[in-house]
Amino acid sequence: MSEENKIEQPQVENPAEEKHMRTVKSFVLRAGRMTEGQQKAMDDVWPSMGLELNNGLLDFNQVFGREAPVVLEIGFGMGDSLVEMAKDQPEKNYIGVEVHRPGVGRLLSNAEKEGLTNIRVFCDDAIEVLAQCIPNNSLDCIQLFFADPWHKKRHHKRRIVQPEFAQTLRQKLKVGGVFHMATDWENYAEHMMEVMSVAEGYANAAGEGQYSPQPEWRPVTKFQKRGERLGHGVWDLMFEKTS
């Protein structure tokens, strides 16, 4: 999702930006240098598309200026697929959450170029965003695409999809809302299937123990392309909130 190589983070003078570099709980923050375009987007576009933790619980109708289904994506990386989805499905509102500032800057830049009005962004830890800003029973879909698989067995406990996390998301989904996951690591797919199949209040949209076909509206991401080049399969899991 975020860049893997750690690069020294340049100094920022804006105190409002310093909060984006704090330690996070749900993802490893891998810092990277901002390009001029990304920084310009953070300066110019963030005021209209950026969302802040300290604003508290969101009123989606007020945030987007309309009533529409709301999709939350956790960890959008560089944001290309999220921008594509928002462009292709203008009838939906999208909220992206990402801790990697260059990715946030790139998404804001591309969203502005496309003239999108149905996308908003947090540059914060998803766990904090869910706890402080997302009302219960409000989301139509939560997306988690190609999260860090933590493929070494001793690191499996760091995987974001865990029983407690599933219930945190369930609180935020509407009944009938969907938690949609995708990964190119078979072992992580098996892990997510194991966790979600026994999670209270969910049902597998594809049937018990079955993976979902990739929906046509989910773009092929760079991580998917990389996985396919390496001979990996790709697995989508879609679990609906039933209660």
Side-chain angles (χ1 to χ4, degrees):
M1 298 169 64
S2 299
E3 304 290 342
E4 292 187 355
N5 294 326
K6 293 186 177 180
I7 305 173
E8 183 181 356
Q9 177 69 42
Q11 295 294 316
V12 294
E13 298 179 357
N14 185 348
E17 293 180 357
E18 292 180 358
K19 74 181 186 65
H20 301 316
M21 293 184 286
R22 69 187 184 285
T23 302
V24 298
K25 300 180 179 64
S26 61
F27 294 95
V28 172
L29 181 56
R30 298 180 175 100
R33 292 189 180 277
M34 301 279 285
T35 67
E36 288 185 11
Q38 291 164 357
Q39 186 60 58
K40 187 175 188 303
M42 290 295 287
D43 295 337
D44 297 345
V45 186
W46 179 266
S48 60
M49 291 190 185
L51 297 173
E52 302 282 354
L53 280 177
N54 59 16
N55 289 337
L57 281 180
L58 298 178
D59 179 333
F60 295 149
N61 294 348
Q62 183 179 41
V63 168
F64 290 97
R66 66 172 186 170
E67 184 175 354
V70 179
V71 178
L72 177 81
E73 179 160 343
I74 297 173
F76 57 74
M78 298 307 288
D80 294 355
S81 64
L82 183 53
V83 167
E84 185 175 342
M85 283 184 284
K87 179 182 176 181
D88 292 344
Q89 299 180 86
E91 73 280 5
K92 297 180 181 178
N93 292 331
Y94 287 85
I95 297 175
V97 185
E98 175 60 59
V99 295
H100 185 57
R101 292 187 71 249
V104 173
R106 179 183 173 92
L107 180 142
L108 291 173
S109 178
N110 289 338
E112 182 186 39
K113 289 175 184 176
E114 295 290 349
L116 299 180
T117 59
N118 62 331
I119 190 166
R120 300 290 186 272
V121 186
F122 280 99
C123 188
D124 286 291
D125 174 29
I127 300 301
E128 295 182 18
V129 170
L130 289 164
Q132 299 182 42
C133 302
I134 306 301
N136 290 344
N137 306 302
S138 66
L139 297 174
D140 293 86
C141 183
I142 298 174
Q143 299 177 165
L144 181 72
F145 298 154
F146 303 95
D148 194 328
W150 294 107
H151 56 276
K152 294 181 180 179
K153 188 171 183 180
R154 68 178 183 272
H155 292 157
H156 285 185
K157 63 184 178 182
R158 300 183 185 180
R159 291 172 167 174
I160 190 170
V161 179
Q162 303 289 352
E164 182 179 358
F165 182 69
Q167 294 309 314
T168 295
L169 300 191
R170 180 181 161 219
Q171 285 185 319
K172 305 304 175 180
L173 286 167
K174 297 177 180 177
V175 172
V178 173
F179 177 27
H180 182 187
M181 298 150 275
T183 183
D184 63 340
W185 285 85
E186 185 173 12
N187 178 261
Y188 198 12
E190 293 169 347
H191 168 87
M192 292 190 292
M193 181 66 75
E194 180 180 348
V195 170
M196 295 305 301
S197 292
V198 297
E200 180 182 352
Y202 284 100
N204 188 335
E208 186 175 353
Q210 300 299 308
Y211 296 97
S212 294
Q214 179 177 341
E216 60 181 15
W217 45 261
R218 180 174 75 73
V220 176
T221 69
K222 70 171 186 176
F223 287 92
Q224 181 169 343
K225 291 177 182 177
R226 182 188 68 180
E228 290 171 344
R229 287 198 302 269
L230 294 172
H232 297 178
V234 175
W235 294 266
D236 282 68
L237 299 84
M238 302 178 75
F239 279 77
E240 180 179 332
K241 176 179 173 176
T242 58
S243 63

